[in-house]
């Protein structure tokens, strides 16, 4: 192994940088100078397309039409996209590793790594009065500069909505320009920095303002990965770093050359890297600098912790040496972690000095262990990872109490990082980038590359769910397989059989989009969640199956959703045919129609041969009608339905009488100009008596065969209501009362007519008379009746209630006689 400090470069005795080779490129020697290049951050892929702004002789076997080549960072070809869509003015990558190609006409194409694309336009329809001349991108958006120097921003690629920023007011191209992503601005909106004249113009959605600068013109500019600093290259050949709010002057350094660099990028947030043809210069924030020379064209990619240097033969990573790494490997270091690392070397050589070193750092041993663990994460070399972790393990064995979680976690992280750094995969993630990216996002990137096996192993190793990996694999299989639908379904189901709860809806949706509706239906049979299964079946026009699955789920809301969808979509006969014989659906439809659509309910009953329910519905509807003729017709229709069913003769008879009653009431209304419709027979008779139409009431009573008892009760109450006491007396004398005479007394008492009540008490049964006389306060008569019935208790009650002393004396005499006789 070469010494860990072999590739270190010192900056002003304060800190070090290191340039490590990551890969020897797998591609055949490629001159990057001939290509427009875009590289995704976080170890992402490269996109190359021939730069049509440069003239080169056509090589043998070179296609006339350009192609976009997608490579891994190790130079392995991933995909070739044939290009004939127009001139590309800018390329870049999103946070989800989709390649953006912005065309001169404003079209933006978004390609995934497999060459599949979607597109949108930067211009509003009918407003293509200009062209795109330049574009700047970040992970979730872009800003385009038009030929008339307007700025168009898109800040969300999921819902691309082009927005014109404030008018720049310039009439010539800026010297250079860049953007500050929304997450780094105070307003949380994208800001554009444009170098115009000797100053910088800051443009957002509402305004364009000039900063008070005179150091320009600025030929190149770049914003640091954390959005805090802005690096500028002036026309005088000076590198100047300021804060993005232009309130702090960080550093400046003269390059002694006026030619602007081909690239100006940030190395983390610690320094600025400038690239001229085959020359790289690093400028630190303290004003120090150093220089590298190359014999090939390069492309620089700014990362959050360094710079990836892509060349035709190799890929390198330039970064500031982490403090913990420097403290361990720096020559002459006496840091506890460095001494622990040295102690391991002596221990392996069986030197007693190992024990001596451990004793000397006993108090700092725990910190030294943690430092070695952290330093292992910053190493690309497997050997140094192993040695540092071994040193940490060695030091940990001398500690009585030490939490090993960080050691275990680092071992896991390094195993994952080493797997994805392998040249066949080609994702050179660093430990810092992995922490920022998260394991979930890394797995998503492997899925997009179709590295399913590695993705599954990483998920299993990190105890993460593998559902989305298997779903993506199944969708890809469906898109590319030439097997028949039964074979594909069996293959997919067998592979996913041991994953309970996994959703098949996305897989089925992919099959449906691919024109394999049968396969989609077959796959949906395995979908465990009806809420995902049913909507997809509806979109596939599998209406009846969707209803069946919704019913099987037992979710009434879902059944209602399907029913309403089918009601809107299908003709009524077809809709009712599908619902037929599905009990839950029928019940829910019936419940819905009773509240919202009685007309459909009638059709539903008719289709289902439910004559009795249909008759009930017609009868209920008749109650809502105001026109009596229409009401009679509606009731007659219900009567015919009742008469068709021999089991409902009672209902038929009742409806027949209701028709007769309604017709009678209609005639009464004509004769007496009084409202009668809607009243019962009893109420009709009662009302006739109260309007002095007793003869007509008697006729109605006869027509509807009203029992004598009911008629007497109704007539008695009606006569009392109108205070027709003669009529009451006439009724009582007409014949023997079928209801007795006590009701006559009670009704008169209620009307506070005690004298009238007294007329009927003696006609009542003897045992009731005393109590009735007591109710009308006829105490003497009450006493006489009680004495006659020898009712001692009632006599005492009368004695207590009677206010007259003379009568009390008579009652006392009655009580004495009854008592002595016993």
């Amino acid at each position: 192994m070469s010494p860990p400090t072999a590739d270190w470069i010192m900056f002003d005795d304060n800190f070090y940088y290191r340039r490590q080779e990551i890969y020897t490129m797998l591609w055949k020697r490629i001159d990057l100078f001939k290509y427009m290049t875009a590289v995704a951050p976080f170890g992402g892929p490269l996109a190359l397309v021939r730069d049509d702004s440069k003239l080169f002789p056509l090589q043998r076997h070179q296609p006339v039409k350009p192609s976009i080549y997608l490579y891994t960072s190790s130079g392995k070809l991933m995909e070739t996209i044939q290009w004939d869509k127009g001139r590309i003015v800018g390329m870049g990558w999103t946070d989800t590793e989709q390649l953006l190609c912005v065309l001169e006409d404003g079209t933006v194409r978004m390609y995934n790594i497999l060459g599949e694309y979607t597109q949108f336009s930067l211009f509003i329809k009918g407003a293509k009065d200009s062209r795109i001349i330049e574009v700047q991108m970040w992970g979730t958006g872009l800003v385009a500069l038009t030929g008339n120097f307007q700025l168009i921003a898109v800040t969300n690629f999921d819902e691309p909505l082009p927005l014109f920023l404030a008018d720049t007011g310039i009439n010539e191209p800026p010297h250079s320009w860049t953007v500050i992503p929304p997450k780094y601005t105070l307003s949380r909106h994208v800001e554009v920095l444009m170098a115009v004249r000797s100053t910088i113009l800051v443009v957002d959605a509402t305004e364009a303002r000039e900063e008070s600068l005179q150091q320009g013109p600025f030929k190149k500019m770049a914003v640091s990965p954390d959005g805090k600093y802005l690096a500028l290259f002036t026309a005088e050949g000076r590198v100047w770093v300021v804060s993005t709010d232009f309130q702090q002057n960080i550093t400046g350094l003269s390059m002694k050359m006026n030619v602007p660099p081909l690239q100006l990028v940030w190395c983390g947030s610690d320094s600025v890297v400038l690239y001229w043809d085959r020359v790289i210069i690093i400028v630190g924030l303290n004003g120090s600098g150093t220089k590298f020379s190359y014999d090939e064209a390069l492309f620089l990619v700014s990362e959050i912790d360094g710079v990836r240097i892509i060349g035709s033969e190799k890929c390198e990573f330039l970064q500031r040496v982490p403090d913990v790494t420097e403290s361990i490997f720096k020559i002459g270091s006496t840091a506890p972690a460095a001494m622990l690392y040295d102690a391991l070397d002596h221990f392996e050589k069986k030197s007693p000095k190992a024990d001596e070193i451990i004793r000397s750092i006993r108090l700092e041993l725990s910190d030294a262990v943690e430092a070695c663990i952290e330093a292992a994460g910053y190493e690309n070399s497997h050997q140094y990872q192993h040695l540092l972790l071994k040193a940490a393990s060695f030091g940990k064995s001398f500690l009585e109490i030490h939490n090993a979680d960080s050691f275990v976690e680092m071992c896991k992280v390094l195993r994952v990082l080493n797997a994805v750094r392998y040249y066949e995969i080609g994702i050179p993630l660093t430990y810092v980038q992995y922490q920022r990216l998260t394991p979930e996002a890394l797995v998503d990137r492997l899925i997009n590359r179709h590295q399913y096996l590695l993705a599954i192993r990483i998920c299993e190793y990190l105890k993460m769910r593998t559902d989305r990996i298997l779903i993506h694999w199944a969708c890809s299989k469906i898109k590319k397989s030439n097997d028949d639908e039964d074979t594909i379904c069996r293959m997919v189901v067998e592979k996913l059989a041991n994953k309970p709860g996994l959703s098949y809806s996305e897989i089925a949706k992919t099959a449906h989009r691919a024109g394999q509706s049968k396969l989609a239906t077959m796959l949906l049979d395995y979908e465990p969640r009806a809420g995902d299964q049913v909507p997809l079946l509806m979109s596939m026009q599998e209406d009846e199956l969707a209803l069946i699955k919704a019913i099987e789920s037992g979710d009434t809301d879902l059944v209602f959703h399907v029913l309403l969808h089918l009601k809107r979509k299908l003709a009524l006969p077809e809709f009712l045919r599908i619902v037929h014989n599905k009990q839950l659906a029928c019940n829910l439809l019936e419940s819905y129609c009773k509240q919202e659509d009685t007309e459909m309910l009638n059709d539903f009953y008719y289709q289902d041969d439910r004559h009795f329910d249909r008759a009930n519905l017609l009868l209920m509807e008749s109650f809502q009608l105001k026109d009596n003729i229409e009401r009679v017709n509606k009731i007659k229709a219900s009567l015919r339905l009742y008469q068709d069913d021999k089991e409902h003769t009672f209902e038929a008879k009742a409806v027949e009488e209701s028709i007769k009653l309604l017709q009678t009431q209609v005639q009464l209304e004509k004769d007496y100009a009084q409202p009668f419709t809607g009243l019962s027979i009893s109420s009709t008779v009662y009302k006739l008596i109260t309007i002095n139409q007793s003869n007509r009431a008697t006729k109605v009573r006869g027509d509807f065969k009203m029992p004598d008892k009911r008629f007497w009760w109704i007539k008695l109450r009606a006569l009392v209501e109108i205070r027709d006491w003669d009529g009451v007396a006439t009724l009582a004398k007409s014949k023997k009362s079928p209801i007795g005479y006590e009701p006559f007394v009670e009704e008169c008492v209620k009307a506070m007519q005690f004298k009238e009540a007294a007329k009927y008490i003696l006609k009542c049964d003897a045992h009731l008379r005393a109590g009735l006389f007591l109710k009308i306060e006829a105490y003497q008569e009450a006493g006489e009746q009680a004495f006659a019935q020898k009712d001692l208790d009632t006599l005492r009650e009368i004695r207590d209630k009677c206010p007259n002393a003379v009568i009390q004396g008579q009652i006392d005499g009655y009580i004495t006689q009854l008592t002595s006789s016993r």
Side-chain angles (χ1 to χ4, degrees):
M1 295 186 299
S2 60
T5 58
D7 51 9
W8 288 16
I9 305 105
M10 181 181 293
F11 267 55
D12 284 354
D13 295 328
N14 292 324
F15 51 86
Y16 296 85
Y17 276 75
R18 63 181 177 184
R19 185 179 53 166
Q20 298 175 305
E21 181 178 334
I22 306 173
Y23 299 115
T24 298
M25 303 303 282
L26 297 176
W27 60 32
K28 295 181 180 178
R29 187 177 179 88
I30 291 179
D31 186 359
L32 294 177
F33 182 71
K34 299 178 180 179
Y35 292 90
M36 180 186 296
T37 306
V39 184
F42 294 97
L46 295 69
L48 305 178
V49 65
R50 194 178 65 199
D51 191 346
D52 59 6
S53 65
K54 301 173 182 176
L55 296 178
F56 304 103
L58 191 64
Q59 302 295 322
R60 182 179 298 179
H61 305 304
Q62 181 179 335
V64 176
K65 291 184 178 180
S67 298
I68 299 177
Y69 303 98
L70 304 183
Y71 293 94
T72 66
S73 291
S74 59
K76 180 181 178 181
L77 182 64
M78 302 167 65
E79 190 65 41
T80 301
I81 303 171
Q82 299 300 321
W83 187 260
D84 57 355
K85 308 301 178 184
R87 182 171 177 269
I88 299 175
V89 296
M91 291 195 308
W93 293 86
T94 70
D95 284 343
T96 56
E97 288 194 338
Q98 286 187 300
L99 176 65
L100 293 173
C101 298
V102 182
L103 278 62
E104 194 174 33
D105 64 0
T107 301
V108 180
R109 285 205 169 191
M110 298 175 60
Y111 288 90
N112 64 16
I113 291 178
L114 302 177
E116 301 166 340
Y117 73 91
T118 58
Q119 71 178 39
F120 63 90
S121 177
L122 292 175
F123 292 108
I124 301 172
K125 189 174 182 180
K128 293 186 178 181
D129 55 352
S130 185
R131 59 189 178 88
I132 304 299
I133 59 174
E134 201 171 346
V135 65
Q136 296 282 350
M137 305 179 192
W138 69 96
T140 57
L142 63 84
V143 175
L145 180 65
T146 67
N148 55 5
F149 311 117
Q150 283 186 310
L151 293 170
I152 304 174
V154 173
T155 57
N156 184 0
F157 293 129
D158 294 330
E159 297 179 2
L161 182 63
L163 171 68
F164 279 94
L165 300 185
D167 186 11
T168 60
I170 61 176
N171 52 19
E172 61 181 3
H175 302 294
S176 62
W177 65 290
T178 189
V179 298
I180 304 177
K183 63 181 179 180
Y184 297 128
T185 63
L186 291 176
S187 64
R188 288 296 181 262
H189 296 288
V190 63
E191 292 184 359
V192 180
L193 308 179
M194 307 183 76
V196 294
R197 298 180 295 279
S198 297
T199 185
I200 288 179
L201 189 67
V202 181
V203 185
D204 59 20
T206 58
E207 64 173 348
R209 68 179 187 279
E210 282 192 11
E211 297 294 337
S212 301
L213 303 176
Q214 298 297 327
Q215 291 85 349
F218 304 107
K219 298 298 184 180
K220 287 283 183 179
M221 61 172 66
V223 176
S224 63
D226 58 8
K228 293 181 178 180
Y229 306 119
L230 175 66
L232 302 163
F233 185 85
T234 68
E236 299 174 352
R238 180 178 176 82
V239 176
W240 185 37
V241 179
V242 296
S243 61
T244 48
D245 60 2
F246 301 98
Q247 300 300 311
Q248 297 181 24
N249 185 359
I250 308 301
T251 189
L253 180 66
S254 176
M255 294 290 98
K256 299 180 181 180
M257 59 179 71
N258 297 334
V259 179
L262 298 176
Q263 280 187 271
L264 171 64
V265 299
W266 280 84
C267 180
S269 296
D270 302 306
S271 58
V272 180
V273 180
L274 300 91
Y275 167 62
W276 285 270
D277 186 19
R278 302 183 182 183
V279 175
I280 287 179
I281 296 179
I282 308 174
V283 178
L285 295 187
N286 61 354
S288 59
T290 190
K291 177 180 178 181
F292 302 106
S293 296
Y294 289 83
D295 58 358
E296 59 183 349
L298 304 173
F299 188 83
L300 309 184
V301 187
S302 179
E303 299 281 6
I304 61 172
D305 58 342
V307 170
R308 212 169 356 141
I309 303 174
I310 309 293
S312 60
E313 294 184 352
K314 57 186 177 181
C315 174
E316 297 177 333
F317 189 69
L318 175 66
Q319 68 172 156
R320 178 176 172 175
V321 177
D323 293 339
V324 65
T325 303
E326 181 181 337
S327 68
I328 295 175
F329 293 121
K330 183 178 179 181
I331 298 174
S333 174
T334 57
M339 298 181 70
L340 175 59
Y341 183 81
D342 192 37
L344 174 65
D345 183 54
H346 287 288
F347 175 76
E348 291 180 338
K349 295 177 180 178
K350 299 182 180 181
S351 169
K353 193 174 181 180
D355 183 65
E356 181 182 335
I357 295 174
I358 293 296
R359 290 178 183 275
S360 67
I361 60 172
R362 188 76 182 185
L363 297 178
E364 297 88 7
L365 187 55
S366 181
D367 293 336
V369 169
E370 292 299 327
C372 287
I373 294 172
E374 183 183 355
Y378 295 123
E379 291 298 319
N380 284 325
S381 167
H382 295 189
Q383 292 87 349
Y384 282 110
Q385 291 173 6
H386 176 73
L387 286 176
L388 287 165
L389 290 175
K390 193 173 181 180
S393 180
F394 175 67
K396 185 161 59 71
S397 63
F398 292 95
L399 296 172
E400 294 181 1
I401 300 175
H402 184 79
N403 189 341
D405 289 349
S406 59
F407 182 87
V408 174
E409 184 63 26
M410 183 58 74
C411 290
K412 289 182 178 180
V413 169
L414 288 176
R415 190 169 182 183
V416 172
L417 289 177
N418 291 335
V420 298
R421 288 170 181 167
Y422 185 61
Y423 75 96
E424 286 287 346
I425 306 300
I427 304 179
L429 269 184
T430 65
Y431 177 56
V432 174
Q433 294 168 18
Y434 175 79
Q435 288 179 308
R436 178 75 65 86
L437 187 63
T438 73
E440 291 78 12
L442 175 59
V443 169
D444 287 338
R445 296 191 174 197
L446 291 172
I447 293 172
N448 292 335
R449 287 167 165 79
H450 286 194
Q451 298 288 347
Y452 299 117
L453 180 59
L454 179 57
I456 288 175
R457 286 179 174 172
I458 288 176
C459 284
E460 290 175 346
Y461 184 62
L462 298 179
K463 293 181 173 55
M464 297 162 54
R465 289 188 64 86
T466 60
D467 292 10
R468 67 185 191 279
I469 305 173
L470 297 171
I471 290 172
H472 196 284
W473 167 83
C475 293
S476 176
K477 197 73 176 175
I478 289 170
K479 291 177 182 178
K480 295 186 176 182
S481 178
N482 295 321
D483 296 329
D484 61 87
E485 294 180 337
D486 292 329
T487 303
I488 297 174
C489 181
R490 186 168 56 253
M491 184 189 312
V492 170
V493 171
E494 287 176 356
K495 183 68 72 172
L496 308 184
N498 296 325
K499 294 293 178 181
L502 186 143
S503 175
Y504 284 76
S505 61
E506 186 64 32
I507 306 172
K509 192 181 296 183
T510 301
H512 178 59
R513 290 172 179 169
Q516 302 183 57
S517 297
K518 178 185 174 183
L519 174 60
T521 305
M522 294 165 64
L523 288 169
L524 279 177
D525 283 337
Y526 298 93
E527 171 56 50
R529 288 177 284 275
D532 294 335
Q533 182 185 42
V534 171
L536 184 54
L537 284 171
M538 289 192 295
S539 68
M540 293 165 53
Q541 315 301 321
E542 295 287 348
D543 300 325
E544 187 165 4
L545 184 57
L547 182 57
I548 291 171
K549 294 296 184 182
I551 293 171
E552 290 176 353
S553 73
D555 186 343
T556 55
D557 289 340
L558 192 59
V559 178
F560 262 128
H561 175 66
V562 178
L563 287 174
L564 294 176
H565 168 76
L566 297 181
K567 176 179 176 291
R568 289 190 299 268
K569 174 185 174 184
L570 302 176
L572 185 60
E574 179 65 15
F575 170 62
L576 295 177
R577 183 196 65 78
I578 291 178
V579 175
H580 184 64
N581 290 334
K582 299 175 178 64
Q583 189 59 45
L584 178 60
C586 289
N587 293 342
L588 292 176
L589 178 62
E590 185 175 359
S591 174
Y592 166 79
C593 290
K594 282 180 179 178
Q595 299 180 21
E596 304 291 341
D597 194 344
T598 55
E599 185 177 350
M600 173 179 281
L601 185 60
N602 184 39
D603 293 331
F604 172 65
Y605 287 153
Y606 177 79
Q607 181 87 3
D608 212 27
D609 292 331
R610 294 167 60 176
H611 302 304
F612 178 70
D613 291 325
R614 188 166 167 236
N616 289 340
L617 178 63
L618 292 174
L619 195 59
M620 293 295 295
E621 289 178 352
S622 70
F623 297 149
Q624 310 299 324
L625 298 175
K626 295 182 179 181
D627 186 81
N628 291 322
I629 297 176
E630 292 181 2
R631 182 181 295 182
V632 170
N633 292 335
K634 185 75 77 171
I635 298 174
K636 285 181 177 179
S638 69
L639 175 60
R640 287 192 291 271
L641 293 172
Y642 285 127
Q643 290 173 337
D644 290 341
D645 192 342
K646 295 181 180 180
E647 294 182 359
H648 298 96
T649 54
F650 169 77
E651 288 84 354
K653 182 65 176 176
V655 170
E656 191 173 1
E657 288 192 356
S658 69
I659 295 173
K660 182 179 177 181
L661 175 61
L662 181 58
Q663 291 172 336
T664 299
Q665 290 172 336
V666 170
Q667 187 61 44
L668 291 174
E669 288 183 350
K670 291 180 180 179
D671 294 342
Y672 303 115
Q674 292 280 344
F676 281 92
T677 54
L679 299 178
S680 64
I681 296 174
S682 298
S683 298
T684 302
V685 171
Y686 182 90
K687 187 167 185 176
L688 284 170
I689 296 172
T690 59
I691 62 174
N692 295 317
Q693 298 296 329
S694 296
N695 293 335
R696 193 65 176 270
T698 303
K699 183 179 184 305
V700 171
R701 173 250 180 133
D703 291 341
F704 290 95
K705 299 177 181 179
M706 181 182 289
D708 282 349
K709 284 187 177 182
R710 187 190 306 172
F711 179 71
W712 274 63
W713 268 109
I714 293 171
K715 190 169 184 178
L716 172 62
R717 287 174 176 169
L719 291 172
V720 172
E721 173 71 22
I722 62 176
R723 300 299 190 266
D724 185 0
W725 306 116
D726 293 338
V728 174
T730 302
L731 177 64
K733 295 176 183 177
S734 61
K735 65 177 184 178
K736 185 179 180 180
S737 172
I739 60 174
Y741 293 95
E742 185 183 356
F744 286 78
V745 178
E746 296 288 350
E747 292 299 322
C748 290
V749 170
K750 289 179 182 177
M752 303 301 290
Q753 299 295 321
F754 293 163
K755 289 184 179 180
E756 292 294 329
K759 297 177 182 179
Y760 307 104
I761 294 177
L762 293 178
K763 293 185 178 185
C764 297
D765 293 341
H767 68 280
L768 299 175
R769 293 171 186 171
L772 295 174
F773 275 121
L774 184 59
K775 282 187 178 181
I776 64 173
E777 300 177 358
Y779 300 108
Q780 184 173 355
E781 290 83 352
E784 291 173 354
Q785 292 297 324
F787 179 71
Q789 294 295 317
K790 298 181 180 181
D791 188 347
L792 191 59
D793 292 334
T794 303
L795 280 171
R796 288 172 178 155
E797 181 183 356
I798 296 169
R799 166 70 176 76
D800 293 338
K801 291 183 178 180
C802 178
N804 190 307
V806 176
I807 298 174
Q808 285 180 351
Q810 292 178 359
I811 294 173
D812 288 337
Y814 293 150
I815 294 173
T816 302
Q817 290 181 42
L818 291 177
T819 305
S820 63
S821 64
R822 292 183 180 182

